[in-house]
Amino acid sequence: MPVVNTPVGSSFQLRVQTGTDANGQLLYRVRAYSRVKPEAAYQDVYDVAQAIGGLQVHPVKAGIN
């Protein structure tokens, strides 16, 4: 029997630098975005993540998949 792959959901995350702690270590938060259409092209999801990243108050340090 062949294996059938049926994606049912997708998401992406952005890691943003929110400041520093008392010791000078960088603090990060992860912003998660769910309910991304599984059939969306990777480039389209990337473009949307870039646009959302540009709207963040804090600098985006990484995209996490």
Side-chain angles (χ1 to χ4, degrees):
M1 174 181 274
V3 175
V4 176
N5 181 9
T6 306
V8 294
S10 186
S11 65
F12 68 91
Q13 299 176 341
L14 296 175
R15 183 177 177 199
V16 295
Q17 179 185 337
T18 58
T20 57
D21 66 9
N23 297 324
Q25 297 292 322
L26 298 176
L27 297 175
Y28 297 98
R29 289 272 207 200
V30 174
R31 309 277 191 233
Y33 300 90
S34 59
R35 300 183 65 174
V36 176
K37 290 185 177 182
E39 61 272 3
Y42 292 128
Q43 186 63 47
D44 292 340
V45 175
Y46 178 81
D47 292 343
V48 169
Q50 287 287 92
I52 291 173
L55 298 173
Q56 298 296 308
V57 172
H58 303 292
V60 175
K61 293 301 179 181
I64 304 169
N65 190 355

